[in-house]
Amino acid sequence: MKESIANKLAQLADRLDEINSLLSSEQATRDMEAFRKLNRERTELEPVVELYRAYQAAEADLATAQEMLADPDMKDFADAEIQENKAKLEQLDVDLQKQLLPKDPNDERNVILEVRAGTGGDEAALFAGDLFRMYTRYAERQRWQVEMISESLGEKGGYKEVIARIIGHGAYSVLKFESGAHRVQRVPETESQGRVHTSACTVAILPEADEVGDVVLNPADLRIDTFRASGAGGQHINKTDSAVRITHLPTGTVVECQDGRSQHQNKAQAMRVLAARIKAREESEAHAKYAAERKSLVGSGDRSERIRTYNFPQGRVTDHRINLTLYKMDQIMDGDISELTNALMAEHQAEQLAALAE
């Protein structure tokens, strides 16, 4: 283990001892906010310190086994102990490094999912519908909730644009690598010659902003327009100005919502999407210097950058960032994308470990 990592772990172990002492004192509950903060810190520290103490125990066992080598009668037993503890130390070293990796503060959040048809006309809109269904089916498999926020239907089906909220603990940590351009190659239903067409959609995964404190939106910076909703929705939806359009004047960000049953509901949903977009924009600017580190996974931030190709004639899905090709098109389009999401998370973790080692 590197000396710098060992020193860091020793500091964390000392801090956990200090926290346990503070929490067991008579004055611990006098300031409930401080008490809660200490408890949260202890919850974060306990897993890594537990691993560190297991590492120290394995080191001590290894040293004892090496001493036993001097006794001829104990040599075979000592050799076995040495091999076992070396393997244990190697695994614990990897586990400890993973625990020390920087955590994305947004990982536990819900997400705002945005899918937009790109090049390819009607076929792109149909594919946007297919992608949206893929993500909603995946969310169902995870027992997450999906709330539709807004939709603009394609002329022959699918969506020109669809925005939804996915509610589930850790949803952002799993789906954040889905942002980017998704390309499809297939024969459209309207193609009489059987030729393969290529079209594309963009996907944006935004961490949902907290209702309080995350993004401060000055009412003076907002222009809120109401208008009559269009499209399906029964008689009510076309009789009142229930649809809402909010423009954030400093950035020019525009959000529309008309799927709710009331103006109040649509305004709340539009504000949620606006806050998520502003938060994503602010974080993108603040973390621009880390763009090179994450480029292989999430791209440069330019959503025109192709991240994945769905080739229907060959039944394959290829993620270009990690050179992973899977021949399970039907399962993936039905929401079975865990193999893709797990591989992307593992690659990101490997990059973080490499950076930590440097």
Side-chain angles (χ1 to χ4, degrees), residues 157-295:
Y159 299 101
K160 294 177 184 175
E161 176 187 89
V162 57
I163 302 174
R165 180 186 183 211
I166 298 179
I167 306 159
H169 183 71
Y172 184 72
S173 68
V174 179
L175 293 175
K176 60 185 175 183
F177 301 115
E178 293 300 302
S179 289
H182 295 242
R183 184 177 71 169
V184 62
Q185 295 171 322
R186 65 184 175 187
V187 180
E189 293 178 11
T190 55
E191 171 56 63
S192 58
Q193 303 297 317
R195 291 173 300 188
V196 174
H197 286 226
T198 298
S199 51
C201 295
T202 58
V203 172
I205 301 290
L206 310 176
E208 183 179 52
D210 284 344
E211 291 186 14
V212 180
D214 247 13
V215 177
V216 179
L217 294 173
N218 186 344
D221 291 338
L222 304 178
R223 188 176 72 233
I224 301 176
D225 302 307
T226 58
F227 57 98
R228 195 158 296 181
S230 59
Q235 294 178 344
H236 162 82
I237 202 165
N238 290 314
K239 285 185 176 178
T240 61
D241 289 346
S242 60
V244 174
R245 180 188 299 113
I246 302 178
T247 305
H248 185 246
L249 300 173
T251 63
T253 305
V254 180
V255 176
E256 288 185 7
C257 189
Q258 58 176 316
D259 272 35
R261 298 290 296 169
S262 68
Q263 188 182 113
H264 176 77
Q265 192 177 13
N266 282 324
K267 182 181 176 183
Q269 290 280 43
M271 287 294 286
R272 183 177 283 125
V273 176
L274 179 64
R277 288 187 186 173
I278 297 297
K279 175 182 171 65
R281 182 190 180 107
E282 289 175 351
E283 290 187 347
S284 176
E285 291 171 356
H287 296 96
K289 63 182 177 179
Y290 298 117
E293 176 195 339
R294 298 184 68 190
K295 187 174 182 182

Side-chain angles (χ1 to χ4, degrees), residues 179-181 203 284 291-292 294-295 297-305 307:
S179 289
V203 172
S284 176
R294 298 184 68 190
K295 187 174 182 182
L297 287 178
V298 297
S300 63
D302 177 0
R303 289 186 190 148
S304 66
E305 185 172 344
I307 64 165

